[in-house]
Amino acid sequence: MVSAPVPVRIETDPAHGGRWTSLRAAGREWLWHRPEPRRPGVRPGDGFADAGGLEECVPTVRGTPDHGDAWARPWQRAADGTESADCPDFRISRLIRADGDGAVAEYRLTAEPGYRFLWAAHALLDLAPGARIGIADGTPVRRYPDGGDRYVTGAWPSGLDRIGPDDGTATGAVADTGQVSVQDGTAVLRLAVEAAGQPVSVALWRNLGGFPEQDPYRSVGVEPMLGRVFGLAAAGEGDAAVVPARGEVRWRLTVTAHTAPDAQAGPVQPDVIDHTAVQNNQKGTRTWNC
């Protein structure tokens, strides 16, 4: 038995990289956080300051700039609710809208035709041991056994679907799908990314106390992406998004949730969405009750 969708509530912090600071649904907060005193004062070019939440990583995740360029820049908020950041080679904009009980983030990146980039909704989730990642069985997966660009290929689940207790490991993987669900107890979160003519995927970061080498901590990333690799420099043919002749790329991230007392989380199908915005300003952040 699966319940009807439940409301989704999102808060963002435009002044600090457009970071998503809260994602509440199904009776819980999904985003994981950690104290990181460097995060409020970061500047472009700084090493990544991992405070949790959901960071907008573009034009790369690994490599230079570390976790991309947009997360370390202030974003501007327009009167219609659009939030945007200007980076040296591109401009990225985002508008979060309600869709029934779910939420939709509409993205637009403008740059010179031919510009290649990766984007990840770098969502670090607060998941207990026993949580399950739902991706269709047999989905091709690239698994990164170390911190570099080398990967081995396989098929889902390959032992990646269950989140266990801390065991001192840290593993990255990229699944060749735009759809993923996460079940933790009775709460289910579903994420879907769509981008016409561009490669989409879902990156996973299973850090169960294995990273960093000094003072490791636990963090689990479930990250819808444009592209199929972590580092732009390592992207082969078809592994990165490419700006077409019109000079822009548009994509959509859909977020829904429900409770499932007797169900297992499974892969999701993205919906065709008619958008209606519900917006509210509070204390310098932006809140969506969706």
Side-chain angles (χ1 to χ4, degrees), residues 13-245:
D13 185 356
H16 298 95
R19 178 169 168 253
W20 298 31
T21 55
S22 180
L23 172 54
R24 293 197 61 85
R28 56 159 293 166
E29 172 62 58
W30 286 93
L31 296 180
W32 167 89
H33 300 275
R34 68 186 286 266
E36 174 46 88
R38 294 185 299 122
R39 183 63 184 88
V42 295
R43 297 291 184 270
D46 287 353
F48 188 54
D50 188 5
L54 185 155
E55 301 278 14
E56 302 282 2
C57 293
V58 59
T60 191
V61 182
R62 291 180 179 171
T64 304
D66 186 12
H67 283 69
D69 201 22
W71 74 272
R73 295 177 182 272
W75 290 45
Q76 304 302 314
R77 179 188 299 157
D80 68 351
T82 299
E83 296 170 345
S84 59
D86 290 302
C87 298
D89 298 319
F90 63 91
R91 177 181 175 87
I92 184 170
S93 300
R94 173 189 71 200
L95 178 61
I96 299 177
R97 299 182 182 270
D99 177 60
D101 285 317
V104 176
E106 297 275 7
Y107 290 86
R108 178 174 179 259
L109 183 141
T110 56
E112 289 295 321
Y115 181 71
R116 300 171 79 241
F117 69 95
L118 307 175
W119 163 83
H122 189 275
L124 295 175
L125 303 183
D126 185 9
L127 301 179
R132 180 171 183 252
I133 311 297
I135 290 174
D137 287 353
T139 297
V141 174
R142 296 176 177 182
R143 185 166 186 161
Y144 293 75
D146 54 38
D149 292 322
R150 182 177 63 90
Y151 62 82
V152 295
T153 58
W156 189 268
S158 297
L160 297 169
D161 58 329
R162 299 284 180 175
I163 304 300
D166 291 358
D167 59 10
T169 63
T171 303
V174 178
D176 192 12
T177 180
Q179 306 167 74
V180 63
S181 63
V182 183
Q183 181 164 350
D184 191 356
T186 62
V188 180
L189 181 72
R190 297 176 178 243
L191 306 171
V193 58
E194 305 168 83
Q198 304 290 347
V200 297
S201 63
V202 174
L204 304 174
W205 171 238
R206 292 167 47 95
N207 176 23
L208 305 181
F211 177 87
E213 187 172 327
Q214 299 294 327
D215 299 321
Y217 53 86
R218 176 188 179 92
S219 60
V220 178
V222 180
E223 307 169 22
M225 291 186 69
L226 264 59
R228 298 192 178 101
V229 291
F230 285 109
L232 182 60
E237 185 69 26
D239 285 341
V242 181
V243 176

